[in-house]
Amino acid sequence: MPTITVGTARIPYRVVGDGPDTLVLVHGTGPGSGMWDGLLDSFTDRYTVLLPDLSGSEAAEDDGAPLTLETLAAQVNAVIDDAGRGPVDVFGFSLGAVVATAAAARRPEQVRRLVAAAGWISAEQDEYLRLSMATWLSLADHPDAFGGYATLTAFSSGFLDRIGRAAVEANTAYMRPTPGTLRHIALNLALDLTPLLPRVQAPALVIGCAQDATVPVQNARRLHAALPGSVYAEFDTGHIVLAEETEAFTKTVREFLDAA
């Protein structure tokens, strides 16, 4: 696994597949790039997929300082440089959607197409989002409640009923209040994508989730409105659309990327 140094951080990234084009998958809040593993087969027929583990993830190493949007975006840009395969397509989910958009703004020549799923511009634009992230952060000393809150807001009620008790409990156990995850949540509260949005040049697909209780769907709609020329798709799911509507979600993303 290649590992690069970006500032004070050591950032590993996986390389999966050997397709002629390159796709960078940018993870959201939590353990890291493993969140994408169930989707890789949907992309490796065409793409060489790069999966960075950014600061705050379990695999990255850094000085533990508070995270900034600029820091994580610079890490994505550095991975693209290190792989030597640009321009690339960049696809981010949740916090990863914001980071991917920032990376596309910082280095427009690196990014051919951008996909931003379940993202936002700033928690200051949405009192629910601000309070939800602050509440989640306040549960750091209560691991079971922390994981339960994450699961409750991440999925629609219908999906939780469909997967059943054992799967719900497994999801609750997955999201733990590690120092890195808490740094991600603090960043979720503090970041502001506004100054970078005018610098995005790549064609963009913005995806929202109608039942999203983590990042309410109006945030994705605002992001779409702030990216002139972007296209928008919305799914009737909770936040984790890639789990609730995997086939339709990946089909929508592929159709956008393949149109280039």
Side-chain angles (χ1 to χ4, degrees):
M1 182 186 301
T3 300
I4 59 173
T5 299
V6 188
T8 64
R10 286 180 54 78
I11 303 300
Y13 66 94
R14 292 182 287 154
V15 182
V16 181
D18 59 358
D21 298 318
T22 302
L23 175 65
V24 182
L25 299 179
V26 185
H27 65 80
T29 300
S33 67
M35 62 156 284
W36 295 109
D37 287 359
L39 296 187
L40 293 179
D41 288 347
S42 299
F43 299 103
T44 50
D45 61 313
R46 168 175 169 177
Y47 288 97
T48 297
V49 180
L50 308 181
L51 296 122
D53 282 288
L54 307 178
S55 284
S57 67
E58 292 177 352
E61 300 175 10
D62 66 13
D63 60 5
L67 297 174
T68 69
L69 182 57
E70 182 78 10
T71 295
L72 298 192
Q75 292 172 3
V76 172
N77 294 135
V79 165
I80 296 169
D81 278 339
D82 190 70
R85 296 183 59 94
V88 303
D89 295 333
V90 182
F91 176 10
F93 172 77
S94 193
L95 173 58
V98 185
V99 173
T101 304
R106 292 181 76 254
R107 296 281 302 278
E109 80 285 357
Q110 283 188 332
V111 180
R112 187 187 72 139
R113 289 212 160 195
L114 168 68
V115 180
W120 68 98
I121 297 173
S122 167
E124 291 299 315
Q125 295 183 342
D126 190 311
E127 281 301 302
Y128 176 100
L129 175 59
R130 184 197 61 78
L131 180 59
S132 177
M133 289 295 169
T135 301
W136 194 16
L137 196 59
S138 76
L139 296 173
D141 293 333
H142 306 279
D144 290 341
F146 182 94
Y149 187 81
T151 301
L152 189 66
T153 60
F155 300 99
S156 66
S157 61
F159 182 77
L160 292 178
D161 283 339
R162 288 198 302 275
I163 63 176
R165 181 73 53 83
V168 169
E169 291 178 349
N171 276 287
T172 297
Y174 172 76
M175 189 62 82
R176 312 310 291 170
T178 66
T181 295
L182 298 178
R183 291 164 73 204
H184 283 164
I185 300 170
L187 175 58
N188 293 345
L189 275 163
L191 66 82
D192 186 0
L193 190 55
T194 305
L196 289 169
L197 289 170
R199 294 164 53 185
V200 176
Q201 297 178 18
L205 166 64
V206 178
I207 296 174
C209 306
Q211 299 185 59
D212 196 335
T214 301
V215 180
V217 68
Q218 62 264 26
N219 291 279
R221 294 170 184 165
R222 287 190 193 106
L223 181 56
H224 163 55
L227 290 172
S230 64
V231 295
Y232 182 73
E234 191 168 297
F235 291 86
D236 189 21
T237 69
H239 187 62
I240 313 293
V241 56
L242 61 166
E244 294 199 24
E245 290 288 351
T246 307
E247 184 175 348
F249 176 68
T250 53
K251 181 176 183 289
T252 297
V253 173
R254 278 299 300 260
E255 287 177 347
F256 173 75
L257 296 178
D258 291 349

